[in-house]
Amino acid sequence: MVLLTRKIEFSASHRYNNPAMSEEENRRVFGKCNNPHGHGHNYTLEVTVAGEPDPVTGMVVDLADLKKLLEQEVMRRMDHRHLNFEVPELAGQIPTCENVARVIWNLLEPKIPQGRLHRVRLYESPDLFADCYRNGAGRTGGAS
Ligand SMILES: [Zn+2]
């Protein structure tokens, strides 16, 4: 088995706020991430596909297909968006690095054209990232 990783970058804004908590509680728990008008990040996403290289092409997954999938599912949906308001898949969730990574996993996993999705790693900043794996972090149901 070989692991192939493709990296893309996108920019988005978000705000951490839980409507079930008071304003004061939100400020205490989320600090400046709770500032009312949100703030932006330059996200780096690494998508890793596992599989056997195709005997004809030598590829685990067709790179053009993977690029198209990331464009369609991630860039169009999240790039230059406000994650709290513009991404329906995140509705009702606090758009933390963890939750955004899980949403991206769930968007990509059923559509990987060859091989299988092995890991989604989302960097919110150079020193903070969240990982989603098939059997791990945040995968609910359908795990194998
Ligand atoms: Zn933030």
Side-chain angles (χ1 to χ4, degrees):
M1 187 191 71
V2 180
L3 301 175
L4 177 82
T5 299
R6 176 140 219 151
K7 194 189 275 198
I8 60 168
E9 293 178 359
F10 63 94
S11 302
S13 45
H14 68 179
R15 179 190 183 212
Y16 292 178
N17 185 65
N18 185 337
M21 304 187 321
S22 70
E23 278 183 34
E24 193 199 318
E25 226 178 336
N26 271 294
R27 272 195 300 273
R28 186 176 53 75
V29 172
F30 298 123
K32 60 185 182 181
C33 292
N34 182 243
N35 286 351
H37 300 293
H39 60 274
H41 290 284
N42 294 317
Y43 289 91
T44 299
L45 173 68
E46 293 176 4
V47 173
T48 302
V49 178
E52 288 299 330
D54 183 282
V56 176
T57 65
M59 294 178 179
V60 166
V61 58
D62 186 288
L63 292 177
D65 290 349
L66 184 58
K67 192 176 174 185
K68 207 183 302 166
L69 181 66
L70 295 177
E71 172 65 35
Q72 180 190 308
E73 297 300 328
V74 180
M75 296 303 278
R76 267 195 232 165
R77 198 177 248 109
M78 297 185 183
D79 190 36
H80 287 71
R81 303 285 185 180
H82 197 304
L83 299 176
N84 294 68
F85 305 113
E86 296 183 84
V87 179
E89 291 79 7
L90 278 162
Q93 301 183 55
I94 297 167
T96 56
C97 195
E98 300 90 311
N99 280 337
V100 177
R102 182 171 55 186
V103 162
I104 291 173
W105 173 283
N106 288 333
L107 287 166
L108 295 179
E109 200 269 337
K111 294 185 176 163
I112 292 292
Q114 289 159 262
R116 59 187 178 81
L117 189 57
H118 174 73
R119 186 187 76 188
V120 163
R121 172 170 285 181
L122 182 67
Y123 285 84
E124 188 178 274
S125 60
D127 57 0
L128 178 74
F129 63 84
D131 282 338
C132 264
Y133 289 94
R134 183 164 297 268
N135 290 316
R139 179 77 177 138
T140 54
S144 58

